[in-house]
């Protein structure tokens, strides 16, 4: 970028600019930079990752006493000073000084170590990093350290009048309020951007990476070969694992084949668009759901029709539209996630009711890929998480038999730390299931 936008009007530079204009539309934009930076900060928070380790290409959990390696990459890729500067600046622009300080500290350290060297792709500098870091500390109340960093910045850039004014401002504050000098140990609190009340439980389940060491204690949780009295399943039973009794969650192993999973991904790939969520009667893009998705009709390929037949045989439910939605294929890249939510509608104005077939009574979610680290499905109130198991499928009831939403089904898609997560969702509605999932004799069920 520095070469492309340089003022040298040589023939080679002009030719480079012309070529750049032709490919510019296919290159990452500022929005991509922001998204990548936010994703790294999300992974840092949810998995309690040590920033210094991340910068070195290591994935270490930052506990109160020690660092624990949660993933060892085959090849280590370190981040540059400029990388750290851009991440810190994105946080700074959001007035998220908790993250800006951590990343700008790394940027300053790396820029100091390479001061005097020039790297073609660098857009930041030591002076820039010091400037943003100083103001971050000022905004968090650490005036004395902000002054120290500003003086260092002024040393490298003595003609910067704005920095000089900041130095005078900080000195005046400290003279007028000497107690400010004692705020060096200010603890900057991490912001809860989405006001997530279940954040601690959600992140704890994500950090478990789907490990459930106490499940063996419950006699009702068992594995079996499911036939469901279906002639089809009698010949080809499905491996069933009961993961939870309340809410009732089942994992069906090897529900689809590698070839079927690959076919579904290939069909969906060209149609993937940024995922949206229901917001009143509208749908909108939000930061608490980062993924891309596509909807596939059962007529688009014989594989999807076969999948619906197998699903109906297994659940005993009517999965034909409009009593069930089309297959939704979702792709989560690194940092992709979906914070705690319900699949069923909690408002009568939800778009879920547009088909006039009632609420989403059940969810059938198929894992189309494996994930090296992260991406578990966490059930928050039920306090368990299920790891991504390729070709397996999760099934649960969203509604109780009386038609009320089951609050225990609050769940989340944990961020993908390493890998690429693909799932296919089939949402089944109330109408059409009246004689397939009947009401209970007790109105409380």
């Amino acid at each position: 970028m520095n070469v492309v936008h340089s003022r040298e009007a040589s023939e080679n530079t002009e030719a480079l600019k012309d070529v750049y204009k032709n490919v510019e539309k296919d290159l990452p934009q500022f929005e991509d930079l922001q998204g990548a930076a936010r994703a790294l900060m999300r992974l840092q928070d949810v998995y309690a990752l040590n920033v210094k380790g991340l910068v070195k290409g290591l994935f270490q959990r930052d506990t109160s006493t020690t660092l624990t390696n949660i993933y060892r990459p085959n090849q280590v890729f370190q981040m540059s000073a400029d990388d750290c500067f851009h991440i810190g600046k994105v946080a700074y622009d959001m007035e998220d000084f908790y993250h800006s300080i951590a990343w700008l500290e790394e940027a300053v350290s790396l820029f100091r170590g390479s001061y005097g060297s020039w790297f073609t792709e660098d857009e930041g500098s030591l002076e820039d990093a010091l400037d943003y870091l100083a103001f971050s500390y000022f905004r968090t109340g650490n005036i004395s350290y902000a002054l120290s960093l500003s003086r260092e910045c002024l040393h490298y850039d003595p003609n910067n009048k704005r920095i000089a004014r900041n130095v005078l401002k900080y000195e005046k504050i400290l003279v007028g309020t000497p107690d400010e000098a004692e705020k060096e140990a200010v603890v900057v609190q991490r912001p809860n951007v989405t006001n997530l009340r279940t954040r601690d439980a959600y992140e704890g389940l994500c950090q478990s990476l789907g490990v459930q060491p106490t499940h063996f204690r419950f006699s009702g949780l068992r594995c079996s070969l499911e036939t469901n009295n279906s002639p089809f399943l009698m010949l080809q039973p499905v491996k069933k694992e009961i993961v939870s009794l309340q809410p009732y969650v089942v994992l069906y192993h090897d529900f689809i084949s590698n070839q079927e999973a690959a076919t579904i991904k290939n069909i969906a790939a060209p149609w993937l668009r940024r995922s949206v969520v229901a917001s009143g009667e509208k749908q909108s893009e939000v930061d608490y759901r980062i993924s891309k998705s596509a909807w596939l009709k059962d007529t688009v390929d014989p594989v999807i029709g076969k999948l619906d037949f197998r699903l109906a045989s297994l659940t005993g439910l009517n999965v034909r539209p409009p009593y069930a939605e089309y297959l939704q294929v979702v792709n989560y890249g690194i940092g992709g996630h979906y914070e705690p939510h319900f699949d069923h509608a909690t408002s009568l104005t939800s778009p879920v009711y547009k088909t006039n077939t009632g609420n989403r009574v059940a969810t059938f979610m198929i894992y189309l890929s494996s994930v090296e680290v992260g991406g578990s499905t966490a059930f928050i109130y039920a306090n368990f998480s299920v790891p991504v198991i390729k070709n397996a499928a999760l099934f649960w009831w969203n509604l109780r038999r009386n038609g009320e939403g089951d609050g225990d089904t609050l769940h989340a898609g944990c961020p993908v730390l390493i890998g690429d997560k693909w799932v296919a969702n089939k949402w089944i509605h109330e109408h059409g299931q009246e004689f397939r999932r009947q009401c209970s004799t007790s109105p409380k069920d």
Side-chain angles (χ1 to χ4, degrees), residues 25-312:
K25 65 180 184 301
D26 299 320
L27 297 176
Q29 304 297 314
F30 181 66
E31 180 185 5
D32 299 306
L33 171 66
Q34 285 184 312
R38 290 179 180 180
L40 279 168
M41 289 184 274
R42 184 181 309 125
L43 294 174
Q44 170 196 344
D45 292 342
V46 173
Y47 294 105
L49 298 178
N50 178 265
V51 174
K52 291 185 181 294
L54 271 178
V55 173
K56 295 176 182 177
L58 304 175
F59 298 85
Q60 301 172 316
R61 182 160 296 146
D62 199 351
T63 64
S64 57
T65 56
T66 184
L67 293 177
T68 305
N69 287 322
I70 62 173
Y71 176 76
R72 288 182 176 274
N74 294 327
Q75 189 174 358
V76 175
F77 293 93
Q78 298 191 26
M79 301 176 74
S80 69
D82 203 50
D83 293 332
C84 298
F85 170 72
H86 281 300
I87 297 169
K89 189 175 180 302
V90 168
Y92 175 91
D93 290 339
M94 296 189 299
E95 297 192 351
D96 175 3
F97 303 113
Y98 171 88
H99 290 103
S100 71
I101 286 174
W103 288 97
L104 289 171
E105 284 279 15
E106 292 303 309
V108 166
S109 177
L110 292 170
F111 273 130
R112 281 174 179 154
S114 61
Y115 192 75
S117 302
W118 185 75
F119 299 99
T120 308
E121 296 300 324
D122 280 0
E123 294 182 25
S125 64
L126 176 58
E127 294 86 342
D128 293 330
L130 285 168
D131 186 11
Y132 282 101
L133 182 60
F135 198 74
S136 295
Y137 273 112
F138 167 70
R139 288 293 302 272
T140 55
N142 198 335
I143 312 300
S144 58
Y145 195 45
L147 174 60
S148 175
L149 292 168
S150 296
R151 284 173 174 167
E152 182 183 355
C153 187
L154 202 58
H155 169 75
Y156 292 109
D157 189 8
N159 296 321
N160 193 316
K161 294 181 180 180
R162 184 178 55 79
I163 299 295
R165 288 195 298 271
N166 284 346
V167 168
L168 293 175
K169 175 183 177 180
Y170 300 153
E171 288 175 339
K172 186 177 180 180
I173 291 174
L174 290 174
V175 170
T177 54
D179 292 341
E180 292 287 346
E182 298 179 4
K183 287 192 176 182
E184 294 179 6
V186 170
V187 177
V188 183
Q189 296 295 323
R190 173 185 154 199
N192 191 1
V193 179
T194 54
N195 298 312
L196 190 61
R197 290 178 295 176
T198 58
R199 185 173 72 177
D200 291 343
Y202 159 60
E203 293 179 355
L205 289 169
C206 289
Q207 289 171 21
S208 73
L209 302 177
V211 176
Q212 303 168 54
T214 62
H215 266 44
F216 69 92
R217 300 177 186 172
F218 303 98
S219 59
L221 304 180
R222 56 172 66 96
C223 296
S224 62
L225 290 175
E226 181 65 73
T227 61
N228 201 22
N229 297 319
S230 163
F232 172 74
L233 294 179
M234 288 288 187
L235 296 174
Q236 190 176 345
V238 177
K239 301 171 186 175
K240 174 184 177 181
E241 176 186 352
I242 301 176
V243 179
S244 170
L245 296 174
Q246 180 51 44
Y248 185 75
V249 180
V250 177
L251 184 66
Y252 295 109
H253 294 265
D254 299 322
F255 178 75
I256 61 171
S257 67
N258 288 330
Q259 184 59 48
E260 288 172 326
T263 299
I264 292 172
K265 289 193 292 184
N266 289 336
I267 295 171
W271 304 100
L272 291 174
R273 299 293 183 272
R274 173 74 185 271
S275 298
V276 296
V277 300
S279 179
E281 296 183 3
K282 299 180 180 180
Q283 294 185 321
S284 57
E285 298 177 359
V286 289
D287 285 341
Y288 61 81
R289 185 185 189 187
I290 302 295
S291 63
K292 288 189 173 183
S293 56
W295 296 87
L296 302 182
K297 292 184 177 181
D298 54 352
T299 56
V300 74
D301 190 276
V303 166
I304 299 175
K306 291 178 181 178
L307 205 65
D308 281 350
F309 175 77
R310 195 178 309 153
L311 200 160

Side-chain angles (χ1 to χ4, degrees), residues 39-40 42-43 290 332-336 415-420:
L40 279 168
R42 184 181 309 125
L43 294 174
I290 302 295
Y332 299 86
I334 292 176
V416 175
L417 182 55
I418 302 292
D420 190 26

